[in-house]
Amino acid sequence: MSVIPTAPGRQVVRPAARALALATAATAAVLAALPFEGRLAPAAGVLVLAGVGAVALDRIAAFHPHPRFGLANAVTLVRAGATAVFAALALEPAPLMPARAGWAAFGLALALLALDGLDGWLARRQGLASAFGARFDMEVDALLILALSVLALGLGKAGTWVLAIGLMRYGFVAAGWLVPALAAPLPPSTRRRAVCGMQIAVLAVLLAPPLGPPTSALLAAAALAALAGSFAADLAHLLGVR
């Protein structure tokens, strides 16, 4: 069943497109300034943001019934740009080998975690909360977690199993295609939000240059265990398991 865009929703597409163009240009400039050995990683980073933007522009008219893009969505878009940078670094971690660069990445990841709590507050403050904004925020979180988990592997902070942190949410979505009951909406959950924040926090800490195995692996394992427990609780709820 298609959703008919509202009149205010149609009006927001143009400012959203301008914001996306600005974010893409800024992200491309950051990637160009980093000392990547080849062009694949920075190009992939730009493509990641372009893909996020294309989906956002396709959905915003139907699910954001306001004529303004809003500061909240702008903050989420900034986070999406930074996530694209981390996606490029996940493909080629070499620029983070100098300690100074590693600390900068650590600081950036923590800043993204802090901003994650700002966009929702801004949306409510401006009266611009929407289903689009909530989903945009959630998808950027998921993509950031995936990028940081791949980066943790590339930096040798944990074994291949650390990718499960980033892939679990996408596996859950895929399971919903196979088992319709798993695609049902879940009620808001403080536990789910806290576990998501924990994943970003732990993966950010893993970027700290002095931290290595076995400590880094133990931290990642604790985060993965919490995430698995949270998804297990959601599965039990959706399947009616008591």
Side-chain angles (χ1 to χ4, degrees):
M1 180 178 177
S2 61
V3 179
I4 300 174
T6 63
R10 287 191 292 268
Q11 293 174 25
V12 79
V13 173
R14 185 169 294 178
R18 288 197 296 264
L20 175 62
L22 182 61
T24 302
T27 301
V30 171
L31 289 170
L34 292 174
F36 289 107
E37 293 182 1
R39 297 181 180 178
L40 176 61
V46 172
L47 286 174
V48 165
L49 182 56
V52 170
V55 174
L57 290 177
D58 180 65
R59 309 299 286 175
I60 193 168
F63 298 99
H64 183 76
H66 310 286
R68 297 161 55 200
F69 187 59
L71 285 175
N73 288 324
V75 168
T76 306
L77 188 55
V78 168
R79 292 175 51 240
T83 296
V85 173
F86 277 119
L89 290 168
L91 290 178
E92 188 182 319
L96 296 184
M97 293 308 175
R100 182 179 298 180
W103 283 117
F106 166 74
L108 176 59
L110 289 183
L112 295 182
L113 178 60
L115 288 175
D116 189 28
L118 179 63
D119 45 13
W121 179 85
L122 284 172
R124 293 186 294 272
R125 179 83 173 179
Q126 293 190 307
L128 296 176
S130 67
F132 167 82
R135 186 62 180 266
F136 189 24
D137 177 59
M138 182 177 69
E139 296 300 340
V140 170
D141 282 345
L143 192 57
L144 176 62
I145 291 169
L146 176 59
L148 290 178
S149 63
V150 176
L151 186 54
L153 174 63
L155 293 173
K157 304 288 184 167
T160 308
W161 52 267
V162 76
L163 297 180
I165 294 176
L167 293 173
M168 196 174 297
R169 191 259 172 181
Y170 295 101
F172 189 86
V173 172
W177 297 338
L178 301 175
V179 182
L182 299 182
L186 286 162
S189 167
T190 302
R191 175 259 307 162
R192 196 180 305 119
R193 189 77 177 175
V195 170
C196 175
M198 176 189 178
Q199 305 310 304
I200 298 173
V202 169
L203 291 168
V205 169
L206 295 189
L207 294 173
L211 192 64
T215 304
S216 58
L218 288 173
L219 286 172
L224 178 57
L227 185 63
S230 181
F231 272 109
D234 286 341
L235 283 170
H237 173 82
L238 291 171
L239 295 175
V241 177
R242 295 287 187 267

